[in-house]
């Protein structure tokens, strides 16, 4: 700190001395009037024909560096002689802002400054409230009623549909789904469906998928059969669907339902007595319970 203080005082004194010299030059120029020295031009100076500086400003070539200086501009913008030698001068200038190699912290007094104190932790440890360890994973899955308003084929794929699904009054999401071999396009368009909205956005066949349409899976004559989950007749777009008697936490649904939680939810989604169930509880919305196609066997999973 003492060395820094001395450097600051010397710099201030030098600046003050340079200012006095500049002021003296200006006073001499004013007193001499037209007799003041004219601008010393240089044949290599590209500005000579387009810049007309005041009479007190002149140019001079530095003998050490060959740099064409404009006086008294160099009072605040010096051209150091070290530039024609090595880069050590620049390194010293930048030392306070250069991060040391290997990620080491700069030492105090060498541009690193004083060691920062860690802010005190707020009462209670400063940790955000965490969900209870025994919270049901279904509380993290944002299930909702949606309406398929547009269906098209995904290029270079015979399995995928690209759907536009309305999931709210003014919210439409793109969903890439593997229902093409199981659900005719005409049956899917304008269909009310059960969706999950907070899975991680995925890329399928180069297309973005922002949600998932849920369906039942079963075997029929040795072949895979996939059927859409039926939603209540009076259900509205955007209606929340939850397991009966299980509500999300006070913070609501998370922005993203992690795959480990969704896998845990899927393991308990199944058809029981023709009704879509989660761990023995009905999946319901304000209009009633979601159900399965009558042809779907009891116990078939919902994915």
């Amino acid at each position: 700190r003492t060395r820094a203080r001395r450097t600051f005082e010397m710099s201030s004194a030098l600046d003050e001395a340079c200012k006095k010299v500049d002021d003296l030059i200006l006073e001499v120029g004013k007193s001499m009037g037209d007799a003041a020295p004219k601008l010393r031009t240089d044949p290599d100076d590209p500005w000579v024909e387009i810049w007309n500086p005041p009479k007190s400003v002149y140019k001079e070539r530095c003998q050490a560096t060959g740099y064409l200086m404009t006086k008294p501009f160099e009072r605040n913008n010096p051209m150091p002689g070290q530039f024609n030698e090595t880069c050590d001068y620049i390194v010293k200038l930048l030392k306070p802002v250069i991060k040391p190699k290997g990620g080491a912290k700069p030492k105090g007094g060498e541009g690193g400054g004083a060691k920062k104190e860690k802010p005190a932790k707020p009462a209670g440890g400063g940790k955000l409230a965490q969900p209870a360890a025994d919270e049901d994973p279904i509380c993290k899955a944002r299930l909702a009623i949606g309406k398929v308003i547009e269906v098209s084929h995904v290029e270079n794929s015979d399995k995928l549909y690209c759907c536009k699904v309305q999931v709210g009054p003014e919210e439409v999401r793109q969903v890439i789904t593997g229902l093409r071999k199981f659900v005719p396009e005409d049956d899917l368009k304008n269909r009310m469906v059960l969706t999950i909205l907070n899975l991680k956005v995925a890329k399928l066949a180069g297309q973005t998928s922002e949600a998932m349409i849920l369906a039942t899976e079963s075997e029929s004559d040795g072949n895979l059969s996939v059927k859409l989950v039926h939603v209540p007749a009076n259900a509205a777009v955007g209606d929340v669907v939850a397991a009966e008697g299980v509500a999300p936490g006070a913070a609501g649904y998370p922005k993203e339902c992690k795959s480990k939680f969704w896998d845990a939810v899927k393991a308990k989604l199944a058809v029981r007595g023709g009704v879509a169930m989660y761990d023995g509880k009905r999946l319901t919305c304000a209009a009633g319970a979601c159900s399965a196609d009558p042809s779907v066997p009891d116990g078939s999973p919902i994915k």
Side-chain angles (χ1 to χ4, degrees), residues 146-157:
K147 182 179 181 179
V148 180
I149 58 177
E150 185 180 316
V151 181
S152 61
H153 294 179
V154 174
E155 188 176 357
N156 299 323
S157 173

Side-chain angles (χ1 to χ4, degrees), residues 19-256:
K19 185 177 184 306
K20 290 181 179 179
V21 173
D22 289 343
D23 292 341
L24 182 60
I25 291 174
L26 292 174
E27 289 179 8
V28 171
K30 289 180 181 179
S31 63
M32 294 180 67
D34 294 336
K38 294 183 179 181
L39 175 69
R40 302 176 189 176
T41 62
D42 186 281
D44 298 326
D45 181 10
W47 301 95
V48 65
E49 300 296 335
I50 59 175
W51 184 49
N52 186 23
K55 295 180 179 179
S56 59
V57 177
Y58 64 96
K59 297 182 182 180
E60 183 178 287
R61 188 170 296 282
C62 175
Q63 296 299 318
T65 65
Y67 174 66
L68 187 64
M69 300 184 294
T70 305
K71 300 286 189 171
F73 174 76
E74 271 69 26
R75 182 172 69 84
N76 295 321
N77 300 274
M79 183 63 188
Q82 287 90 335
F83 278 8
N84 66 347
E85 297 172 2
T86 69
C87 64
D88 292 341
Y89 179 81
I90 293 296
V91 171
K92 289 179 181 178
L93 288 177
L94 296 178
K95 189 172 183 180
V97 296
I98 293 178
K99 185 176 181 180
K101 293 181 179 179
K105 295 181 178 179
K107 296 180 180 180
E110 295 295 327
K115 183 178 180 181
K116 294 183 179 179
E117 296 183 1
K118 293 183 179 180
K121 292 184 178 180
K127 294 183 179 180
L128 297 175
Q130 299 295 323
D134 58 349
E135 185 178 59
D136 198 309
I138 192 68
C139 294
K140 301 180 184 297
R142 184 185 167 196
L143 302 176
I145 303 296
K147 182 179 181 179
V148 180
I149 58 177
E150 185 180 316
V151 181
S152 61
H153 294 179
V154 174
E155 188 176 357
N156 299 323
S157 173
D158 59 355
K159 298 179 180 180
L160 302 175
Y161 280 135
C162 177
C163 302
K164 300 294 183 182
V165 182
Q166 185 177 0
V167 296
E170 296 182 0
E171 185 179 3
V172 175
R173 297 196 184 186
Q174 178 169 286
V175 179
I176 307 302
T177 176
L179 295 171
R180 188 166 163 185
K181 286 189 173 183
F182 307 102
V183 181
E185 185 175 338
D186 291 341
D187 290 351
L188 186 57
K189 189 172 183 181
N190 296 320
R191 180 75 176 262
M192 299 291 280
V193 292
L194 176 60
T195 65
I196 176 168
L197 303 180
N198 63 338
L199 294 179
K200 184 178 180 180
V201 175
K203 281 273 190 180
L204 298 174
Q207 300 291 321
T208 301
S209 187
E210 303 169 303
M212 181 185 289
I213 297 173
L214 300 188
T216 63
E217 288 188 3
S218 60
E219 281 194 12
S220 177
D221 298 327
N223 298 315
L224 178 65
S225 174
V226 177
K227 302 284 185 180
L228 292 171
V229 173
H230 292 188
V231 303
N234 296 323
V237 169
D239 279 356
V240 175
V241 177
E244 203 167 34
V246 182
Y253 295 105
K255 183 177 180 180
E256 181 183 315

Side-chain angles (χ1 to χ4, degrees), residues 135-143 196 198-200 212 214 256-270 277-279 301-303:
E135 185 178 59
D136 198 309
I138 192 68
C139 294
K140 301 180 184 297
R142 184 185 167 196
L143 302 176
I196 176 168
N198 63 338
L199 294 179
K200 184 178 180 180
M212 181 185 289
L214 300 188
E256 181 183 315
C257 179
K258 302 295 185 182
S259 58
K260 64 179 180 180
F261 295 118
W262 178 234
D263 289 343
V265 171
K266 286 191 298 181
K268 297 180 180 181
L269 288 174
M277 309 280 277
Y278 169 77
D279 196 22
I302 299 173
K303 298 182 179 181

